[in-house]
Every structure is written in C-alpha cells, then in structure tokens.
Amino acid sequence: MLTLASKLKRDDGVRGPRASNPASDSTRRVSVRDKLLVKEVAELEANLPCTCKVNFPDPNKLHYFQLTVIPDEGYYQGGKFQFEIEVPDAYNMVPPKVKCLTRIWHPNITETGEICLRYQQHSV
C-alpha cells in the first residue's frame, strides 16, 4: 500500500549520504509533507476503526484520499458518509482540506459539503 514509503527509501539509497550533483538532488527531494504522511498513513491504517474505510485512488499520492464512515450507533447509525481529504504542501502548518461528498444535515457541514471546524468563542 505505501508505495511512496518504498519510493522514499529507494531514493535515499540511490542518493547516498551526499549527492555529487546538486541539480539532481533537488529534483529527488521529498517534501516534509510526504515524509510525515508516510508515517501518519501507516498509523492511520493500523488504528482505523472497523466503521471507517480509507481509499487512496493513487497510492503514490498519499496527500489525497477518501474516507468512508458507516456509523454503527447514534443518530447517524446505518448511514454511509464519504469524505474527500487533501493535505496541502504546507502541512503541518496548514490543516488538511476535508469535504463531505454525502449530502447531510450537520451544523459544521455546509450544503456544498464544506466543513468548518473553527472554534467560535462566545462572549458572556
């Protein structure tokens, strides 16, 4: 599944500790986001509850995936909800963009599926 992880290891082996050609080194450089995602996707897959399934349309792009949630309890029990998740280049300074593909009424999800997770402080 983690083809990007094997690619990262392979690129490190080819490059060695120091590359002699700086131009080729910059073309092989892997983003911090991708290095973080390799670890986080492995952890996600190991700890994902049975009510959730992750789908990577392109296994070489860990920054884009889909999540399906099928709750087995609560108000949304029996529903099937699909989300699209895209992790920006500036991750972990910028949060992932999440969009709900299933039409649902929820106070944090707009009619177009945009998700708002901002904390709103109320004055007393």
Side-chain angles (χ1 to χ4, degrees):
M1 168 63 225
L2 294 178
T3 58
L4 184 59
S6 58
K7 182 179 182 322
L8 292 174
K9 288 179 186 174
R10 188 172 54 243
D11 286 351
D12 284 344
V14 169
R15 216 175 342 142
R18 290 277 180 197
S20 59
N21 185 353
S24 66
D25 185 40
S26 65
T27 59
R28 293 184 187 175
R29 209 165 280 205
V30 179
S31 71
V32 172
R33 173 197 66 184
D34 289 344
K35 288 181 180 180
L36 284 170
L37 284 176
V38 167
K39 293 177 185 176
E40 291 179 5
V41 166
E43 186 178 321
L44 172 73
E45 289 179 333
N47 297 312
L48 200 63
C50 62
T51 57
C52 300
K53 295 192 185 328
V54 176
N55 175 39
F56 292 89
D58 183 348
N60 290 313
K61 295 181 179 178
L62 295 181
H63 64 275
Y64 175 78
F65 58 97
Q66 297 163 346
L67 173 70
T68 303
V69 179
I70 304 172
D72 59 359
E73 62 184 2
Y75 183 75
Y76 295 105
Q77 179 180 0
K80 182 176 180 180
F81 307 97
Q82 295 183 324
F83 298 87
E84 178 180 81
I85 297 141
E86 186 172 351
V87 182
D89 288 333
Y91 179 73
N92 99 18
M93 301 306 268
V94 176
K97 295 177 185 171
V98 181
K99 183 172 184 177
C100 183
L101 303 176
T102 307
R103 189 169 170 96
I104 182 175
W105 186 92
H106 189 279
N108 292 68
I109 302 175
T110 67
E111 289 182 17
T112 59
E114 304 301 319
I115 297 177
C116 176
L117 298 176
R118 280 193 235 174
Y119 172 75
Q120 296 186 7
Q121 186 175 9
H122 299 284
S123 58
V124 178

